[in-house]
Amino acid sequence: MESLNNEKNTLSVEKTRVLCDVESLRSEKTKMASDICLLNKRKSVLESDIESDEKEKSKLGTELEFFGKEKEQLQSDINLLDKNKRGLQSAIGVLIKETTMQGNCIENMNSNKAVLEKDIELLNSEKAIIASELELLNKEKAITASEKIQLEVDVELLNQEKDRLHIDVELLEEEKDTLHKVLSEEKDEFIHSAINEVNEKVVARDYQELWEAQQELIKQMESVKVTRDTVIGVKRMRGESGDQVLWNFRDKRRATLKEVISFQVHRTDK
């Protein structure tokens, strides 16, 4: 009996312990269920985060590739810009030298400006003097205006006189031409008459008189020097006789009395 009581007590204690354990397990179960729920939620969140991270990773990979290309382009641009920078630095150096030169030029121009200002002051003084002289010249101009009018009148009168003289000259020229024409006609008529008269006399005279006339003409023309331009002259014939004859040097033949007389008349007129 006592053994049963002990066993009963033991079982009661064991029951109490078991109940405590059960209660503890229930509490732990509840806690674990809560933890599992939280873990599931966290798992879902993590899965979602992982999926998002995968997408982000893919996006970042694409962007990284793009940035790699962009980096290469930027590096190329940097190299080009660096080259341009060196060129600009060189140009800046040239511009600095040019600026220095321009500064020197400006300094020289300022010096020239000071000189020019002095020159302008002198010119203004001379301008005042010239203005005074111009006033005097204007007065003289007014005085000479009337003289100019008188000179214009005189010039007009001289022009009229010149026109009258031109008319007189034209009339004299016409008269001169008329006289030349009349004299030429009279000269031709005289020559024609003289030739006809000589021809008639030659026909009427005998051979002796013709020969004597030729000899007389030869004597008259012996003094005329024969040149390249000679048309009628005296020529000594070749041979034993060596006679002198009247010769037409242009046609290379003996000259007729008509040609000789005509030549003599023209020479006398000259």
Side-chain angles (χ1 to χ4, degrees), residues 4 57 64:
L4 289 170
K57 177 183 176 183
L64 183 62

Side-chain angles (χ1 to χ4, degrees), residues 140-153:
E140 293 179 0
K141 178 181 177 182
I143 294 171
T144 56
S146 59
E147 296 178 356
K148 178 184 176 183
I149 294 172
Q150 184 61 42
L151 287 173
E152 289 176 350
V153 172

